[in-house]
Amino acid sequence: MAPGGSESGFRGPQVCSIVGITYRQLDYWARTDLLRPSLAEARGSGTQRLYSYSDLLELKVIKQLLDAGVHLREARRAVACLREGGDDLATANLVLVGGGTLLARSGEEIVDLLRGGQGVFNIVPLAGVVDELDAAIVAFRSAPGDEPVRRQTAPGATGDLTGGAALPRAAGES
Amino acid sequence: MAPGGSESGFRGPQVCSIVGITYRQLDYWARTDLLRPSLAEARGSGTQRLYSYSDLLELKVIKQLLDAGVHLREARRAVACLREGGDDLATANLVLVGGGTLLARSGEEIVDLLRGGQGVFNIVPLAGVVDELDAAIVAFRSAPGDEPVRRQTAPGATGDLTGGAALPRAAGES
DNA sequence: AGCCTGTCTGACACCGGCGTAACTACTCGG
DNA sequence: CCGAGTAGTTACGCCGGTGTCAGACAGGCT
């Protein structure tokens, strides 16, 4: 298989090493409707799933939530909110409050929520997630089966990431 | 300072109905060293555990975290941080970031963390926790065996929340 | 076609976090 | 001193989420 050749999406094992999850997790999440591949689903043994760039982004968010000790049930709600979220995700923060999810654009918005709300807030800064994901993709393309951690090159040089799904990187994070 | 402090503390089943957890949870948490009663531990069948007011506060924080879908492992770290915190917990926010815990006194502090941090933030406004806990204690004393398990949407209009029983609420909430 | 390799699939097992149900031990009123 | 009630303890099992492993299958290569 050619690591730099086909641009038609990402297959299961590729997704696993890019996002940093196990194949069992990816499979379980696809079977339980947490996140199914948007480009092509498996139709039996031997076929292959194809994930888009935005799929990877959602998977990365899920992994971050799991690493932070958040339950998969909350991750399901987060994914649902991300899909409605629109296009400029890199500058927003995903906020989970008891029973609801929303995208906060500014820090002051979060402070307002903290003042009035009772309950626990789970907040995911999406800019960092996008950064990590792009760096992991670039590292994977340069060395698919080797050391995954490489220096962070500007992903804008790669042109098209996955056709039409690539998000333009915003510069500032504040 | 603590409601109910005039007596010798809170016993297991009382704690369960005040905090809103099951006896099995309380027992499991005591056995796995998440939170052991600080006043008296069980020394065999028939004896009884005695929990202090600050025990109840920690238990309430744990329950809030669980309700928000946070794993028990994170709750263990949160408890450790709460014990190191000062006395004025009611004005602070408990913040869990990947691998670390801290108490943030102001909203701006949280915004600063959000700017630079990469990872998921779990934030617990402790003022709301104290409110709910005091209200539950007052409700329990007026109707010890009557009150069913109340939902998270505390009535709040109980009136004499701070009537000689609760901690003095210092900071405005909105 | 036959082989090889990569990928999906199914069955089994494991562990954390409890629920349920018995059992046990202490306390209290009489 | 004895029965009732209460509270802690043990035993067993369930369920969600994964690791492990063997098996099934598509597609490319010879």
Side-chain angles (χ1 to χ4, degrees):
Chain A
M1 72 184 209
S6 73
E7 296 294 333
S8 56
F10 302 87
R11 285 168 291 173
Q14 291 181 354
V15 172
C16 292
S17 53
I18 289 175
V19 180
I21 58 178
T22 68
Y23 187 84
R24 244 18 223 105
Q25 287 178 298
L26 190 71
D27 182 39
Y28 181 73
W29 298 351
R31 290 172 192 273
T32 56
D33 283 340
L34 203 176
L35 183 79
R36 308 168 73 171
S38 58
L39 295 185
E41 265 196 88
R43 296 169 302 173
S45 296
T47 65
Q48 56 194 20
R49 302 186 175 101
L50 276 184
Y51 291 85
S52 69
Y53 176 82
S54 50
D55 288 340
L56 292 195
L57 188 58
E58 297 182 13
L59 286 171
K60 195 79 179 173
V61 171
I62 296 172
K63 183 192 166 23
Q64 296 261 343
L65 286 171
L66 289 187
D67 288 345
V70 176
H71 205 267
L72 258 185
R73 303 197 180 269
E74 298 304 305
R76 291 177 197 273
R77 298 197 299 119
V79 166
C81 179
L82 268 186
R83 296 206 180 113
E84 304 170 1
D87 41 350
D88 50 352
L89 293 174
T91 63
N93 295 321
L94 177 65
V95 181
L96 306 177
V97 199
T101 61
L102 60 101
L103 286 172
R105 304 300 311 278
S106 67
E108 297 158 6
E109 195 171 340
I110 292 178
V111 173
D112 284 346
L113 290 170
L114 281 174
R115 270 189 233 278
Q118 61 264 24
V120 179
F121 292 75
N122 298 318
I123 303 177
V124 187
L126 294 178
V129 179
V130 173
D131 280 353
E132 278 191 35
L133 176 58
D134 291 345
I137 290 177
V138 171
F140 177 79
R141 286 175 185 271
S142 61
D146 202 24
E147 195 68 23
V149 178
R150 272 299 199 184
R151 72 179 192 276
Q152 175 177 348
T153 318
T158 59
D160 60 334
L161 281 174
T162 58
L167 295 173
R169 287 284 321 290
E173 62 185 356
S174 69
Chain B
M1 77 173 197
S6 57
E7 297 185 357
S8 53
F10 301 89
R11 288 170 297 175
Q14 292 180 355
V15 171
C16 292
S17 53
I18 289 176
V19 180
I21 59 178
T22 68
Y23 188 85
R24 283 315 273 120
Q25 287 179 296
L26 191 70
D27 184 39
Y28 180 73
W29 298 350
R31 289 173 191 278
T32 56
D33 284 341
L34 204 177
L35 183 78
R36 309 169 73 171
S38 58
L39 294 184
E41 267 199 82
R43 295 170 303 171
S45 298
T47 65
Q48 55 194 23
R49 304 183 175 102
L50 276 183
Y51 291 85
S52 68
Y53 177 81
S54 51
D55 288 340
L56 292 194
L57 189 58
E58 297 183 13
L59 287 171
K60 195 77 179 172
V61 170
I62 295 171
K63 182 191 165 26
Q64 297 261 341
L65 286 171
L66 289 187
D67 288 346
V70 177
H71 208 266
L72 218 59
R73 301 192 184 271
E74 298 304 305
R76 291 177 196 273
R77 297 198 298 118
V79 166
C81 179
L82 267 186
R83 296 204 180 116
E84 301 172 3
D87 302 330
D88 49 353
L89 293 175
T91 65
N93 295 320
L94 178 65
V95 182
L96 307 177
V97 197
T101 61
L102 59 101
L103 286 172
R105 306 282 169 183
S106 67
E108 297 153 6
E109 197 170 340
I110 293 177
V111 173
D112 285 346
L113 291 171
L114 281 174
R115 268 189 234 277
Q118 63 276 11
V120 179
F121 292 75
N122 299 318
I123 303 177
V124 187
L126 295 177
V129 179
V130 172
D131 280 353
E132 280 192 34
L133 176 59
D134 291 344
I137 291 177
V138 171
F140 176 80
R141 308 193 138 257
S142 60
D146 184 27
E147 196 68 22
V149 179
R150 53 177 67 243
R151 292 286 97 191
Q152 292 181 9
T153 59
T158 321
D160 57 344
L161 272 184
T162 58
L167 288 170
R169 287 287 317 286
E173 61 208 351
S174 67

